[in-house]
Amino acid sequence: MRSDRLLATLLLLQAHGRLPAPEIARRLEVSTRTVARDVEALSAAGVPVYAERGRRGGVVLMPGFRTDVSGLTDTEMRALLALTDQEGDLGRELASAVRKLLAAVPEARRPGIARARRTVIVEQHGWRRPVHEGPALAVLERAVAADERVRLRYRSASSGTTATSTVDPYGLVSKAGVWYLVAARRGVPRMFRVDRVVDAEATGAPARRPDDRPLEQVWTELRDRLEAAPDPVVVQVRVDPAWRDRLLRVVVGQLVEEPRGDGDRLDLAFRAPGAAVGALLGFGAAVEVLGPPEVRAEMASRAAGVVALYGASR
């Protein structure tokens, strides 16, 4: 992205005063021709920067000029480094931008930055949980940046069916490694898990949101509403070891805590008893519900109904 590169160039010159164009190109991972174009762009924007020819020449920032961007503190640099551990295309773009910005940090402070990069890792997703990005994320990011309406083909979590909707985005949110699109559908703000977006297409029409509230406010409202829902039902199960891995692939999102070793007992959290029965009944005798009693009783009742149905059809 050119804007972060221009800022990085300006910060480099602010820190050093004068730098050869090849050195700027090396630090920002671009060509010297790109550096020359960026210097022209900065000059056209009113920044007192110019190129000097000759043996001791280079790109020069007029002495005394300071940008409105103050030097990064050590804490700010560590925070930026942590952000670069995001997954996927957006994470790679962010990492590239941060590298260019950090290239402007004075030499004396670089050992501390290098140490932070070696000793701090921020991983956004949990154990046994795949990265939830989805193929539509790049399309949605571009549509959000352009403030355009989006046509989604979205897969329902409960039924597995897909439906097409036209939505007006507020923005994108990454929470615990899962990306969400916050958008208005028929004038009502909603959140859509990006990994359930089967297909996305920017319409080219401007987004028409029902209000001018910022993304943070809308997201907070949706998040708080979800977290205020009734507490989940925690179901204790015993699983046949031969079926354990298969069960974990299905219920990984319901694990209360990470399983220890090859144990045959797991605690799973579901929205309601019916959701637990629907997810577990298909495993038959390979999975036994140990509690709570109401879920165990519902499993028995539902299983008896299945036996009666198919037994009567013989």
Side-chain angles (χ1 to χ4, degrees):
M1 290 178 285
R2 192 183 190 197
S3 58
D4 65 70
R5 194 178 66 241
L6 291 175
L7 177 58
T9 301
L10 184 52
L11 289 173
L12 270 172
L13 294 172
Q14 185 172 289
H16 300 277
R18 176 196 305 267
L19 279 175
E23 175 63 11
I24 298 175
R26 183 187 68 80
R27 295 198 185 194
L28 301 186
E29 303 173 5
V30 296
S31 68
T32 53
R33 182 174 297 181
T34 298
V35 171
R37 287 198 297 265
D38 289 348
V39 169
E40 289 179 3
L42 287 170
S43 180
V47 177
V49 59
Y50 56 93
E52 282 188 349
R53 298 184 181 275
R55 182 179 176 185
R56 299 181 60 83
V59 180
V60 182
L61 179 67
M62 186 174 292
F65 178 83
R66 305 292 294 179
T67 70
D68 291 333
V69 181
S70 60
L72 297 173
T73 67
D74 290 344
T75 302
E76 289 167 342
M77 286 189 288
R78 287 195 294 271
L80 281 174
L81 290 171
L83 284 174
T84 63
D85 288 321
Q86 296 279 348
E87 301 285 349
D89 290 341
L90 286 178
R92 285 188 287 272
E93 291 290 337
L94 179 59
S96 175
V98 170
R99 280 198 304 271
K100 292 170 183 175
L101 288 173
L102 294 182
V105 175
E107 295 287 349
R109 300 178 65 188
R110 291 191 177 186
I113 297 175
R115 186 164 53 252
R117 300 189 80 159
R118 292 193 304 268
T119 57
V120 177
I121 295 175
V122 178
E123 198 166 276
Q124 301 295 327
H125 56 282
W127 297 107
R128 293 180 180 270
R129 287 168 171 79
V131 178
H132 298 289
E133 181 174 320
L137 182 59
V139 176
L140 295 174
E141 192 275 333
R142 288 193 294 269
V144 166
D147 199 25
E148 293 180 356
R149 302 191 98 189
V150 179
R151 188 175 295 108
L152 302 179
R153 193 152 62 91
Y154 192 70
R155 184 178 67 253
S156 168
S158 56
S159 66
T161 60
T162 60
T164 301
S165 301
T166 299
V167 301
D168 299 292
Y170 286 91
L172 289 160
V173 176
S174 176
K175 181 175 175 63
V178 180
W179 282 98
Y180 295 88
L181 172 70
V182 178
R185 178 175 176 267
R186 297 178 181 173
V188 179
R190 291 184 52 189
M191 64 173 76
F192 301 84
R193 276 184 63 139
V194 171
D195 59 337
R196 292 191 191 133
V197 177
V198 179
D199 188 40
E201 178 188 4
T203 65
R208 297 197 294 268
R209 291 174 290 275
D211 52 57
D212 295 326
R213 289 183 297 164
L215 169 64
E216 182 178 4
Q217 183 179 343
V218 178
W219 166 255
T220 299
E221 180 181 293
L222 294 172
R223 183 201 62 202
D224 291 350
R225 188 185 306 161
L226 180 64
E227 292 181 344
D231 291 338
V233 177
V234 177
V235 179
Q236 298 83 38
V237 303
R238 179 163 50 218
V239 57
D240 182 329
W243 286 73
R244 185 175 186 272
D245 288 344
R246 192 176 306 178
L247 175 67
L248 285 173
R249 286 196 294 270
V250 173
V251 300
V252 64
Q254 278 71 47
L255 286 170
V256 174
E257 60 182 25
E258 303 306 325
R260 298 177 182 177
D262 297 325
D264 62 353
R265 299 199 179 201
L266 300 170
D267 288 346
L268 308 172
F270 294 90
R271 295 191 307 273
V277 174
L280 301 175
L281 191 61
F283 288 93
V287 175
E288 178 188 2
V289 171
L290 304 176
E294 61 269 23
V295 176
R296 185 178 173 90
E298 179 63 21
M299 288 283 288
S301 174
R302 193 83 64 87
V306 171
V307 170
L309 174 64
Y310 290 101
S313 64
R314 291 178 181 175

